[in-house]
Amino acid sequence: MPDLPYQVNRFSIGVRGGVAAQSVPSFGFSALLDLRYAHYWVKSSKSPKLGIMTGVGVGYMQYGQNLVKDNYTVTVGNVAYAVDINKAQAVNRQVQLEIPVMFSMVTPKGFFLNVGPKLILPVYGKYTQTIAEPKISAYLPELSGNPIVNEVVMGKLTKEQMDVTDNLADNPCKLMSLAFGAELGYEFKFKNGHSLDLGVYADYSVYTLYNNSVAAGKVITVTPPTYTSPAI
């Protein structure tokens, strides 16, 4: 957009992309389209322009986590179930809106800095968790850990436990995250008065209300057996 020496209002459109990590060893990526408006207070063309920037970003974010080697024991009644998992993979995908309210500074030489909070609103999300190579055994503690071979007591795995999905629609009240971000870059000015910005950014999530209902706790639970059905 035209970049005049005493410009006060400024509209811009841009794209952002980068890697996204929730925690080690999770890893992912994000890509956003930004529509922004900034209002500056300017005294002269020789002083930095200071102002407030807001707008909306629309984008896609995905990150995954590989959980390797997990084992634990679940006790139901007088039966202990030993669960040994060699590999479990969790992937979170979501389309989100991002609304920044940031302090903005542009120097006369073209360097810019934007710092401030960003409200993140997921509009679509899907969480999947896949378990590979699980092993479950059952035993009675009072029998010195001898395994049980009766399938009614020993139990069996179901497809729902091996591959679970949690949709954002199932969590209607968990739709907000708050991040703190910083953007640093440089403006290239053209003869027609327009400018092109290139820069780097970093966002850090400081608060979130969105949680996957299937992500908490151990990945496999046990439903006790009945007279007519085996343990699941």
Side-chain angles (χ1 to χ4, degrees), residues 1 4 13 27 33 56 64 69 72 83 94 120 130 139 149 157 182 200 211 216-217 221 223 225 230:
M1 295 300 171
L4 303 176
I13 182 172
F27 182 81
L33 173 67
V56 62
K69 294 290 184 183
Y72 53 95
V83 182
Q94 65 183 35
I120 300 173
T130 303
Y139 61 92
V149 296
L157 286 171
V200 295
N211 293 298
T221 59
T223 299

Side-chain angles (χ1 to χ4, degrees), residues 3 13 20-21 70 72 88 102 106 111 113 119 126 137 163 222:
D3 191 12
I13 182 172
D70 192 9
Y72 53 95
M102 311 178 78
V106 182
F111 292 99
L113 172 66
L119 181 64
K126 186 175 184 180
S137 57
D163 191 354
V222 176

Side-chain angles (χ1 to χ4, degrees), residues 34-164:
D34 288 320
L35 300 173
R36 292 190 176 184
Y37 164 76
H39 177 81
Y40 293 98
W41 294 272
V42 185
K43 294 182 179 180
S44 71
S45 60
K46 296 182 180 180
S47 63
K49 292 190 291 188
L50 305 178
I52 297 295
M53 174 181 289
T54 186
V56 62
V58 182
Y60 175 81
M61 182 274 293
Q62 174 178 321
Y63 62 86
Q65 187 173 25
N66 290 321
L67 309 174
V68 182
K69 294 290 184 183
D70 192 9
N71 59 80
Y72 53 95
T73 301
V74 178
T75 301
V76 180
N78 62 343
V79 180
Y81 297 86
V83 182
D84 192 345
I85 299 172
N86 287 327
K87 184 178 180 181
Q89 184 181 54
V91 179
N92 194 349
R93 306 174 179 88
Q94 65 183 35
V95 177
Q96 62 189 31
L97 295 178
E98 186 178 287
I99 303 175
V101 180
M102 311 178 78
F103 163 79
S104 181
M105 179 183 70
V106 182
T107 68
K109 293 185 178 181
F111 292 99
F112 69 86
L113 172 66
N114 303 319
V115 179
K118 298 180 178 182
L119 181 64
I120 300 173
L121 303 173
V123 295
Y124 170 80
K126 186 175 184 180
Y127 175 89
T128 58
Q129 178 178 269
T130 303
I131 302 170
E133 305 174 14
K135 179 182 178 182
I136 295 182
S137 57
Y139 61 92
L140 293 173
E142 60 267 27
L143 297 181
S144 301
N146 293 328
I148 299 173
V149 296
N150 187 331
E151 186 186 68
V152 174
V153 179
M154 183 180 66
K156 61 181 181 179
L157 286 171
T158 66
K159 183 179 183 302
E160 289 75 15
Q161 288 183 317
M162 297 286 289
D163 191 354
V164 295

